[in-house]
Amino acid sequence: MRIENDIKLGFKDVMIRPKRSTLKSRSEVTLEREFKFLHSPIIWSGIPIMSANMDTVGTFEMAKALSEKKLFTSIHKHYSVAQWNNFLSSSSETTKKNIAVSTGISKQDSEKLAAIIKAYPFLNFICIDVANGYSEYFADFVKHTRRLYPEKVIIAGNVVTGEMVEELLISGADIVKVGIGPGSVCTTRIKTGVGYPQLSAIIECADAAHGLGGQIISDGGCTTPGDIAKAFGAGADFVMLGGMLAGHAESGGEIIEREGKLFKKFYGMSSSTAMEKHIGGVAEYRASEGKTVEIPYKGSVENTLQDILGGLRSTCTYVGASRLKELTKRTTFIRVNEQENRFYT
Ligand code: 5GP
């Protein structure tokens, strides 16, 4: 029996130590970054926070709202080509530059991806997303996609260890998505016992990716602006959010009214809710690995964005980083046994 004894950490296990700083105000902090990629010749600049490719948050409406603030959206894979057509015909150039087309690895998924890219060759990003990025078939699929789309920025995941990050980058991914089990509506760790604490996953995977000239997205587990700051501090190039962007006007699904209060449904993409909606139910050989929850309706996502971006700017001033790019270099984590004071919550 092999046990790795060094402890792996999540966001709740650390805080960022403040450092001497010459910054006078949060307004001096730039959150925008510019990225060049390992394989694709495209250059992207913006604030590297993105919406998850879930049908609840990776919506066209979310893309419009996020791109206005220079953030990114991985559009979920369940829109039809006709819906893409409608959306793109009314979208700004900025929105078009800040979205990825998501795909799974089935034949149908690849055909739909091909149809969308053929019709809209200006779309720059492809996000190949599977729950478990460790299969040989997945790496082969990434290789195949790279051959088909040599110029596109290819995002592939999810994995949580350095050697698999390297394999996917070598197979043709530009950016690797990191996270197994930390998600707010994920039950993988409960159903399978598999997972990796997210902060350690980021630290180890970023190291592997940056060594080869690739990037990573920290996907899942952020519950506060502070967690997003910790993800960037640990070395994430991008941070992907599901739960923090759910429940807004721009999120998918109907508003539900219950005893005078408004809610929106949010569910994992492997939950029985999602499987019933998209593939007619949970197949006999598998279990649902996602939760379905109702969250209080939060109105426009703009306020939440201000909270996130304001928090992140403040983190940067606490450690003296005038640009988000410097945050990792300026971050020292301290291990802790406490987080915030919950007396009034
Ligand atoms: P959050 O920001 O809500 O903590 O995490 C969002 C991430 O959770 C998504 O980007 C995706 O990687 C993951 N996720 C979404 N739905 C499911 C699901 O049904 N099961 C699992 N295991 N993970 C999910």
Side-chain angles (χ1 to χ4, degrees):
M1 172 60 55
R2 186 173 140 66
I3 298 184
E4 274 188 34
N5 276 314
D6 58 325
I7 189 147
K8 303 296 177 186
L9 304 171
F11 299 128
K12 67 171 194 338
D13 300 314
V14 299
M15 284 186 221
I16 298 171
R17 198 180 71 189
K19 289 205 172 121
R20 261 187 81 246
S21 163
T22 52
L23 294 170
K24 288 197 206 81
S25 150
R26 282 160 221 208
S27 62
E28 291 173 38
V29 174
T30 319
L31 297 179
E32 264 180 72
R33 290 200 59 180
E34 182 178 281
F35 287 110
K36 294 195 172 110
F37 300 101
L38 179 58
H39 302 283
S40 166
I42 287 160
I43 295 173
W44 179 84
S45 60
I47 299 176
I49 297 177
M50 56 172 72
S51 171
N53 49 297
M54 303 168 74
D55 66 359
T56 38
V57 293
T59 61
F60 289 145
E61 295 77 11
M62 189 65 77
K64 281 196 175 152
L66 296 195
S67 65
E68 269 171 31
K69 306 277 177 202
K70 302 182 180 161
L71 278 67
F72 195 91
T73 301
S74 281
I75 304 286
H76 70 73
K77 68 173 189 180
H78 299 289
Y79 284 121
S80 66
V81 180
Q83 285 172 308
W84 270 97
N85 186 11
N86 253 344
F87 165 64
L88 289 173
S89 61
S90 65
S91 294
S92 70
E93 286 309 305
T94 318
T95 304
K96 290 174 189 164
K97 292 221 158 0
N98 286 294
I99 53 177
V101 187
S102 301
T103 178
I105 55 175
S106 72
K107 189 160 172 278
Q108 274 162 309
D109 287 337
S110 317
E111 283 169 4
K112 199 198 298 181
L113 172 70
I116 295 167
I117 299 285
K118 185 162 180 244
Y120 308 105
F122 54 80
L123 293 172
N124 285 337
F125 287 79
I126 296 171
C127 175
I128 314 172
D129 184 43
V130 293
N132 171 9
Y134 280 80
S135 78
E136 208 173 303
Y137 182 73
F138 183 63
D140 288 342
F141 188 88
V142 173
K143 277 185 204 150
H144 177 67
T145 311
R146 172 52 70 202
R147 278 196 295 272
L148 288 178
Y149 307 104
E151 308 274 296
K152 302 291 178 201
V153 180
I154 295 180
I155 301 167
N158 282 21
V159 298
V160 284
T161 50
E163 91 285 357
M164 208 57 208
V165 168
E166 285 165 1
E167 169 135 11
L168 293 176
L169 290 173
I170 291 164
S171 300
D174 295 291
I175 312 174
V176 176
K177 207 145 71 76
V178 171
I180 293 189
S184 59
V185 281
C186 166
T187 56
T188 293
R189 292 178 184 176
I190 298 163
K191 291 285 170 80
T192 68
V194 176
Y196 212 97
Q198 188 66 3
L199 189 90
S200 290
I202 299 169
I203 293 170
E204 294 168 26
C205 291
D207 190 47
H210 297 161
L212 288 181
Q215 279 102 20
I216 66 156
I217 299 171
S218 168
D219 176 18
C222 288
T223 57
T224 58
D227 289 343
I228 300 175
K230 289 172 187 175
F232 282 121
D237 301 284
F238 295 83
V239 175
M240 181 174 261
L241 305 174
M244 285 183 72
L245 298 178
H248 294 94
E250 296 82 355
S251 318
E254 303 298 307
I255 295 178
I256 305 159
E257 193 177 337
R258 199 155 283 143
E259 290 164 14
K261 294 200 177 107
L262 302 179
F263 298 87
K264 262 198 167 182
K265 216 183 231 185
F266 180 51
Y267 47 85
M269 293 312 293
S270 305
S271 65
S272 46
T273 309
M275 287 195 263
E276 271 151 30
K277 188 165 173 194
H278 299 298
I279 51 173
V282 182
E284 222 171 82
Y285 62 89
R286 59 184 292 181
S288 136
E289 282 181 33
K291 294 178 208 169
T292 300
V293 293
E294 276 178 17
I295 42 184
Y297 179 60
K298 300 179 197 158
S300 162
V301 77
E302 204 179 326
N303 296 335
T304 301
L305 292 184
Q306 186 164 349
D307 209 38
I308 292 173
L309 301 182
L312 201 48
R313 279 194 197 94
S314 186
T315 312
C316 288
T317 56
Y318 270 114
V319 298
S322 60
R323 295 181 298 157
L324 180 61
K325 186 171 191 255
E326 295 162 15
L327 185 56
T328 307
K329 212 171 56 198
R330 312 255 338 159
T331 293
T332 303
F333 287 118
I334 47 171
R335 276 193 63 193
V336 295
N337 283 324
E338 63 170 32
Q339 285 284 328
E340 78 280 16
N341 184 333
R342 303 188 70 93
F343 188 56
Y344 287 117
T345 53

